């Protein structure tokens, strides 16, 4: 948020001096919050493209082929598009319900769209799987994929897990998860939590799921104890009966 706001004076000055409207692209991990801040604070002349490359230096070190690149065309030529509106590939519906063609006669509109498409083509040509998606939908999905991955890595890391002489492949994967998630700063993890409104629901669901698993384990343990108690009672009764018959 502070980074976006720090750009505002420079962008306003640029627009005033040149009369040109720059394209602003964000690559933040949480989208809806960034979208709201940019629409609120950036000069309306700025086109906005919200994106999230769903990979980093480690996962993308051998190339970007088939790695997901999520994007939302948020504002083009001062028009804020409604990402949830049904539309064809050649049209957009703005937040007033007006249908716009990407081939509108407005020279500024055409220029803005062309600039966005040229930027997106950089990623597409590198082999990325291009995923058009609203910022809202992205955050909903990310809470139960990216955030929960980091959450589990942090929880397991807090347990102090380390290699053993008898590690299974599954446990090696767990250690890799811990290493990859804790390599990022805690501030980044906190940002995933703070700015995604879906994160707390994910935490609560995880708590409930863990409680459910533990409860099932306890139930099975009680059932085993009850079986053992009944077996001991039966064995004791049989032993007493045998003694009576012998006497």
């Amino acid at each position: 948020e502070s980074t976006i706001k720090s750009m505002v004076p420079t962008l306003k000055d640029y627009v005033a001096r040149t009369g040109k409207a720059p394209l602003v692209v964000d690559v933040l991990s949480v989208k809806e919050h960034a979208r709201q801040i940019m629409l609120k604070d950036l000069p309306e002349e700025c086109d906005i493209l919200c994106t999230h490359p769903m990979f980093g230096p480690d996962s993308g070190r051998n190339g970007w082929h088939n790695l997901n690149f999520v994007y939302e065309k948020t504002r083009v030529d001062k028009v804020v598009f409604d990402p949830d509106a049904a539309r064809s590939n050649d049209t957009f519906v703005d937040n007033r319900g007006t249908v716009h063609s990407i081939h509108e006669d407005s020279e500024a509109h055409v220029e803005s769209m062309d600039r966005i498409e040229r930027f997106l083509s950089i990623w597409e040509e590198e082999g990325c799987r291009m995923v058009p998606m609203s910022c809202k939908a992205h955050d909903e999905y990310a809470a139960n994929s990216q955030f929960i991955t980091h959450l589990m890595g942090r929880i397991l890391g807090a347990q102090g897990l380390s290699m053993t002489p008898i590690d299974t492949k599954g446990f090696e994967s767990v250690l890799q998860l811990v290493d990859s998630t804790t390599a990022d700063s805690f501030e980044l993890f906190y940002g995933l939590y703070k700015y995604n409104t879906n994160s707390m629901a994910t935490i609560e669901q995880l708590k409930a799921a863990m409680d459910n698993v533990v409860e099932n384990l306890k139930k099975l343990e009680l059932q085993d104890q009850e079986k053992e108690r009944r077996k001991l009672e039966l064995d004791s009764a049989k032993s007493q009966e045998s003694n009576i018959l012998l006497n």
Side-chain angles (χ1 to χ4, degrees), residues 5-24:
K5 289 186 176 181
S6 69
M7 295 167 54
V8 173
T10 302
L11 288 170
K12 285 183 176 178
D13 179 66
Y14 177 84
V15 172
R17 284 188 298 102
T18 67
K20 296 180 179 180
L23 169 64
V24 178

Side-chain angles (χ1 to χ4, degrees), residues 146-164:
Q146 184 187 32
F147 176 69
I148 199 169
T149 299
H150 280 261
L151 178 62
M152 292 304 303
R154 291 286 173 177
I155 291 172
L156 294 171
Q159 289 188 253
L161 300 179
S162 61
M163 294 175 61
T164 75

